[in-house]
Amino acid sequence: MPARPTGDFPVATPRTFLGRLPLPERTYLASALRTETVGGVLLLVAAVAALIWANTPLSESYETVGDFHLGPASLGLNLSIQHWAADGLLAIFFFVAGIELKRELVAGELRDPKAAALPVIAALCGMAVPALVYLLVNVVGGGSTDGWAVPTATDIAFALAVLAVLGTSLPSALRAFLLTLAVVDDLFAILIIAIFFTSDIDFLALAGAFAALAVFWFLLKKEVHGWYVYVPLALVIWGLMYNSGVHATVAGVAMGLMLRCVRREDEKQSPGEHIEHLVRPLSAGLAVPLFALFSAGVSISGGALADVFTKPETLGVVLGLVVGKALGIFGGTWLAARFTRAELNEDLAWPDILAVSTLAGIGFTVSLLIGELAFTGDSGLTDEVKAAVLTGSVIAAVLAAVLLRLRVRTYQALYESEERDEDLSGIPDIYEQDDPAYHLRMAAIHEAKAAEHRRLAEHAAATRDDGAGPA
């Protein structure tokens, strides 16, 4: 309801937080999340397969395959399979993340600074608080502070897989909030990797990577087409970035950010959206599951699980994911809403934000990657931290499942109202209620239903047997 003016000074109408999405944004979101959900299920399957493989008599073959090297040594790319998965395949994942970020900045939730403030603050708090929880546990417990960044990441694919398994149809606004959190989360995760986990820099290779990126940008500006131009160039950029000492996934984000994600009048999709549509299935369905297959295979026993809750490094990761993420995102959202005078959508409640915040504690893919980078050279601690990431993610998933199931009827009702399309126009009715043509179509549909009902009633009356045979 618009605010009433007071005297000569109108009162500003508070913004609605988690309100209905614009139709184009909702359509894009539905397509993106559909692919990520399928990818998330494959991710779960790959993680389970890795755990089984690494904890059976075949565990030796798991290590043998992961350590198998291939690639041109002359180019500095004779890497293990596990290394290729972490540095090569995840570059595809971060390429898609770069496109998502660019689109959010120019056409999505992050385009309006006022609207963007809330999810950005929530995401930043959702990264800062887990890091502080980890540091606090390790400072008090005398552990290593090197893993402070491990619990800061959210795995959107894993989170969506949990939703798919639960059968919980979240309203699109909550899904968009979760996706925006993950996009901002990915951006800062790659900055953390680039700044804090960069080895000795080879400035010649780095200069070559920047030069190749400049060529990539120039070709995009000149609207040169052809995968046979960009794919080889992307491989050159990735190879140079890897050899520079900067983590190679930075190359993926950089290229994704260069794509144009604003549609022109004659376009159904911008180039960025088109390429994302092509590459996202490769990222979600192949790159991320293969990374999980070769990174999630840690030896798990009763003693190993007990150690997760006794060592400061691993306990810090678990508490960071489970407690830090939930408190950080929920607290950041509440504070941002309070100070920006944003009002929560009347169909939702703050427990819904807590449930989504808890779900964001699933920090699988990027957390595993940062765990490997943080404890390079200590394979024992690396495996223990991976076990902690798995444990924390599972606990966060279970807690989120409980919170979401408490509100499942509300979510289902909201979801069905968003999806309802009685006039079969291909556009949900909720987006057509202000269109006079919609009301004419609905009147015609209701009249047709009424006529059919009258016809059936007349037919039943004409054939009714009153004991003396049909009338």
Side-chain angles (χ1 to χ4, degrees), residues 299-454:
S299 179
I300 294 179
S301 63
L305 290 176
D307 288 343
V308 165
F309 297 97
T310 57
K311 289 190 174 183
E313 293 88 354
T314 50
L315 181 61
V317 170
V318 173
L319 292 179
L321 290 172
V322 177
V323 179
K325 272 288 182 182
L327 290 180
I329 294 176
F330 181 83
T333 303
W334 186 83
L335 288 172
R338 181 179 178 86
F339 287 105
T340 60
R341 302 192 63 219
E343 292 184 350
L344 186 64
N345 182 351
E346 62 183 11
D347 293 324
L348 298 171
W350 283 104
D352 300 320
I353 307 301
L354 179 61
V356 172
S357 302
T358 305
L359 188 65
I362 300 173
F364 190 73
T365 306
V366 180
S367 290
L368 289 176
L369 174 63
I370 294 178
E372 292 180 358
L373 297 174
F375 299 104
T376 299
D378 189 340
S379 59
L381 187 54
T382 298
D383 284 348
E384 291 171 352
V385 167
K386 286 183 178 181
V389 169
L390 294 173
T391 303
S393 297
V394 169
I395 293 173
V398 171
L399 290 176
V402 173
L403 294 173
L404 291 169
R405 295 302 294 181
L406 293 175
R407 296 270 292 168
V408 68
R409 291 184 179 179
T410 300
Y411 299 149
Q412 191 65 42
L414 290 172
Y415 182 79
E416 289 175 356
S417 70
E418 289 180 356
E419 295 294 319
R420 189 175 296 118
D421 182 19
E422 292 187 19
D423 63 342
L424 303 178
S425 65
I427 299 175
D429 295 339
I430 198 170
Y431 289 94
E432 296 186 293
Q433 292 176 355
D434 296 330
D435 183 2
Y438 164 76
H439 294 286
L440 292 175
R441 290 197 301 272
M442 290 305 299
I445 290 171
H446 291 155
E447 177 57 32
K449 288 181 178 179
E452 179 65 13
H453 180 74
R454 290 195 297 270

Side-chain angles (χ1 to χ4, degrees), residues 77-217:
L77 297 174
N78 183 236
L79 311 178
S80 67
I81 296 291
Q82 185 177 1
H83 210 159
W84 276 110
D87 288 77
L89 292 178
L90 277 196
I92 301 174
F93 167 80
F94 279 108
F95 174 68
V96 173
I99 300 175
E100 285 179 339
L101 177 63
K102 178 66 172 290
R103 189 190 174 281
E104 289 290 322
L105 288 170
V106 300
E109 291 290 295
L110 303 180
R111 177 180 54 181
D112 178 6
K114 291 183 179 179
L118 205 149
V120 169
I121 291 172
L124 287 174
C125 291
M127 299 185 79
V129 176
L132 290 174
V133 168
Y134 178 93
L135 289 172
L136 178 62
V137 170
N138 280 272
V139 168
V140 172
S144 170
T145 58
D146 292 344
W148 64 270
V150 176
T152 60
T154 294
D155 194 312
I156 183 67
F158 206 140
L160 292 173
V162 171
L163 293 178
V165 171
L166 292 174
T168 302
S169 299
L170 285 183
S172 58
L174 278 178
R175 288 176 176 259
F177 180 61
L178 183 60
L179 181 62
T180 304
L181 282 175
V183 169
V184 178
D185 194 290
D186 287 341
L187 168 65
F188 285 98
I190 200 66
L191 289 176
I192 288 172
I193 291 171
I195 295 171
F196 296 99
F197 298 105
T198 294
S199 56
D200 296 333
I201 295 179
D202 182 333
F203 288 99
L204 183 60
L206 186 61
F210 280 123
L213 281 170
V215 173
F216 188 88
W217 176 82

